[in-house]
Amino acid sequence: MTHLDLLSSKQAHALFDILTSHVTLTEIESLKHSKTIATFGPPLQPSSTDPASTPLLRILLQSFIDYLPGFKDVTSHFWTDSIYRLGTALDDANLSQSYDKGSVGIRRTLSTASASIIESVARGRLGGYPKRPLKEDSKYDRAIPDDVVKAWDDFLQRIIYGDLLDKMFVKASETDNLSDHEPVVLTAEVTELRKRAKQIEQSKDSPDKSQMDRLCKYVSEAAEEQQRIRNESESRSISIAAAITGQDKILPPLTESSHKLALDYVSIKLAIRDREKLIEVLCHHSPDLVTKSIRELVTVYDPIIRALHKAVDLSAGVTDLQNFIDDLINLSLIDKTKPAKLPTVQDFCRLLEKHQKSSHVFIHQALKNGKELSQWYHEYASHAIEQYKQMGDIDAAADGKTAAGDFTRCLNDLVSKLSEDQRQQVLKQLDQHATFLDSLAQQSKARMDKTVRASLEPKSSNNEVEGNPGMFLLKWQLFIDQTAITPGPTDNQPRSGKTDSVVDATAVDVDGEKSATTHQA
């Protein structure tokens, strides 16, 4: 039996998905440890020859970011001093974890969102985009969902394996008809959170002072001590608040009425500390790492900014951008006096369609009048596209997939090293995961069908779609659902990001009010 016979197309695709999903999320989560930053390798440690702590992220950084116009010209000092020290300072701040807070925090939400996108980029970089023959005279109907999906795939085929990228740059330079705030203020949030902490401290059902003092002590303890108590909470299946107060044997156990307030108190105190630490690192750190980093970026981007200033009408461009941001903010605002209703994917599609002409005008002016600017970004786009080309001659399977592309042989080599019993067990798990991926794809397709049809109808129509299309959104929801959360105050059962009480807690704003109805992606 040859290595190529070990895995079917679907099994190789499933194994590729499992490995890239796991490695991506693991590497992103590891960035919260200063040891990861210290062993990242180039460009943070340019002379290092040791194995990188995050090899996948490093590959993507070197493949895409290092070649970005402007960014490619930053000095090594920018990475080894500014970025390295800023990353270390954030890690040393020991920001809170979702487990302790009883809700899915902002950093967890952002890290899982990043992972769901980066894992897809990683699969394309490692395995390449599946190549298939194209019909030159293809026609598409926007009202037919399958045509929309096919048009997108044909677009990528022509971008990666054809000359569409070159044609797009030429077209954009010829015509602009390309179809032929309020910031979050951390100090204000701290004030709201302190009010909520004070209310708990003054409540007749709150834990006694000795218990409150022990909860406060936990918030500022070293990361290793927090992890030890967190492990005890998980192993004994007790809440983090019970685990914390249980460290001092002389303290009485939490009562039923005080237990929930104790959990809320820990969550609020951690949120306050997070914001204070972020303010300290980003605004009051000595030396001022953020300002230093921004100054160096402004310096290397100065030629691009000057070229852009000469090429386009910045006044009109800024006005168009302001109009877009205003509409985006208005679309995203939640009126707390009314039943919360989140904007749908159709709403965002209509927003982009409304403003696409202004973006076309901006791009046209930049490419027509800024020849050097056009050349810089054309070269970068060409380089980025090259990363997705499959090097091997891989025949597409009947389902249109090419297993793991160029990475297929590596996966077969890995499986070949297993014993027969191990191999059969792995193959069984891969079949199960392949079935799971098929179910996700079917969900995404069904949502796409509804979204395409709904987007062609007037906004006033009763055409709202439950859930948004896209595999990455479904994977993002899966990452969030798998987030480990402290047991609650009553049943002592392990919880996760999909537990109802956690979903409700995640929707609570800093002022203690529920910000919006939650929903599955």
Side-chain angles (χ1 to χ4, degrees), residues 101-387:
K101 296 172 71 174
S103 63
V104 179
I106 294 176
R107 285 184 301 115
R108 177 66 181 180
T109 301
L110 293 177
S111 66
T112 51
S114 301
S116 65
I117 296 173
I118 292 174
E119 66 162 324
S120 181
V121 176
R123 282 192 288 272
R125 170 62 181 82
L126 298 175
Y129 191 79
K131 184 179 182 180
R132 61 176 178 77
L134 280 173
K135 293 182 179 179
E136 292 299 325
D137 58 347
S138 297
K139 303 293 183 183
Y140 314 103
D141 186 341
R142 288 180 58 197
I144 301 176
D146 286 346
D147 274 17
V148 174
V149 175
K150 184 177 184 300
W152 175 247
D153 180 63
D154 287 354
F155 170 77
L156 293 178
Q157 292 288 335
R158 289 187 167 92
I159 281 281
I160 297 172
Y161 297 107
D163 60 356
L164 183 56
L165 179 68
D166 298 336
K167 290 180 178 178
M168 287 175 63
F169 269 79
V170 172
K171 184 71 173 177
S173 67
E174 293 174 346
T175 175
D176 61 14
N177 183 13
L178 301 187
S179 299
D180 80 78
H181 307 257
E182 295 180 5
V184 174
V185 181
L186 293 179
T187 51
E189 291 189 353
V190 169
T191 300
E192 289 293 338
L193 290 166
R194 282 177 175 157
K195 288 180 182 177
R196 291 176 59 197
K198 193 70 173 177
Q199 290 173 351
I200 293 177
E201 291 167 353
Q202 295 175 344
S203 171
K204 62 181 179 64
D205 295 322
S206 68
D208 65 35
K209 188 176 185 306
S210 58
Q211 292 170 326
M212 299 283 266
D213 289 343
R214 186 61 187 86
L215 295 173
C216 286
K217 179 183 177 184
Y218 173 81
V219 171
S220 300
E221 283 182 317
E224 295 76 15
E225 177 63 11
Q226 288 182 342
Q227 188 59 53
R228 184 189 67 78
I229 297 175
R230 199 175 294 123
N231 291 341
E232 182 179 329
S233 166
E234 291 188 88
S235 63
R236 295 178 56 195
S237 195
I238 59 175
S239 79
I240 190 68
I244 294 169
T245 55
Q247 300 302 306
D248 292 349
K249 304 306 180 185
I250 62 172
L251 294 182
L254 293 167
T255 64
E256 184 176 347
S257 60
S258 66
H259 204 148
K260 183 181 184 308
L261 288 177
L263 282 170
D264 289 343
Y265 192 67
V266 171
S267 177
I268 293 169
K269 281 293 190 179
L270 286 169
I272 291 173
R273 184 183 179 278
D274 284 350
R275 286 155 176 80
E276 290 175 339
K277 284 294 182 180
L278 285 172
I279 292 171
E280 179 183 322
V281 171
L282 300 179
C283 303
H284 304 307
H285 192 278
S286 181
D288 187 348
L289 299 175
V290 175
T291 302
K292 185 178 180 182
S293 302
I294 292 174
R295 281 175 177 165
E296 182 156 0
L297 285 177
V298 169
T299 299
V300 297
Y301 271 94
D302 181 69
I304 295 177
I305 296 171
R306 289 180 182 276
L308 192 62
H309 179 66
K310 292 179 181 179
V312 304
D313 180 356
L314 284 181
S315 176
V318 170
T319 299
D320 290 337
L321 177 62
Q322 180 66 55
N323 291 336
F324 172 75
I325 293 175
D326 287 344
D327 285 350
L328 179 63
I329 291 174
N330 290 332
L331 177 60
S332 305
L333 285 176
I334 302 295
D335 187 349
K336 293 184 179 181
T337 64
K338 300 177 182 178
K341 177 180 174 297
L342 296 172
T344 64
V345 66
Q346 302 102 287
D347 293 329
F348 287 105
C349 287
R350 294 187 184 99
L351 174 66
L352 294 176
E353 189 172 15
K354 174 183 176 182
H355 291 277
Q356 68 176 348
K357 177 63 177 178
S358 59
S359 68
H360 293 173
V361 171
F362 184 87
I363 294 171
H364 165 62
Q365 290 179 347
L367 299 188
K368 178 185 178 182
N369 304 323
K371 299 303 181 184
E372 194 175 27
L373 194 67
S374 175
Q375 180 184 349
W376 292 335
Y377 281 94
H378 190 181
E379 289 174 352
Y380 173 74
S382 298
H383 166 79
I385 291 302
E386 283 289 325
Q387 309 308 305

Side-chain angles (χ1 to χ4, degrees), residues 347 350 454 457-464:
D347 293 329
R350 294 187 184 99
E457 299 175 9
K459 184 176 181 180
S460 58
S461 302
N462 186 19
N463 56 2
E464 290 186 12

Side-chain angles (χ1 to χ4, degrees), residues 45-65:
Q45 296 89 26
S47 60
S48 174
T49 58
D50 296 331
S53 56
T54 55
L56 183 58
L57 294 182
R58 181 174 153 187
I59 288 173
L60 298 181
L61 179 69
Q62 293 175 328
S63 297
F64 298 103
I65 305 300

Side-chain angles (χ1 to χ4, degrees), residues 409-466:
R409 182 176 292 276
C410 295
L411 298 180
N412 276 291
D413 287 343
L414 287 175
V415 174
S416 72
K417 297 173 182 177
L418 301 174
S419 68
E420 184 61 28
D421 288 344
Q422 290 174 323
R423 187 181 306 142
Q424 292 306 316
Q425 183 179 359
V426 167
L427 293 179
K428 181 179 179 180
Q429 293 174 332
L430 293 181
D431 287 336
Q432 294 173 347
H433 192 70
T435 301
F436 169 70
L437 291 177
D438 285 342
S439 70
L440 289 185
Q442 290 169 5
Q443 288 181 54
S444 180
K445 184 181 183 304
R447 293 177 177 185
M448 173 64 81
D449 291 351
K450 294 178 181 178
T451 298
V452 169
R453 293 189 176 95
S455 65
L456 298 176
E457 299 175 9
K459 184 176 181 180
S460 58
S461 302
N462 186 19
N463 56 2
E464 290 186 12
V465 179
E466 183 178 352

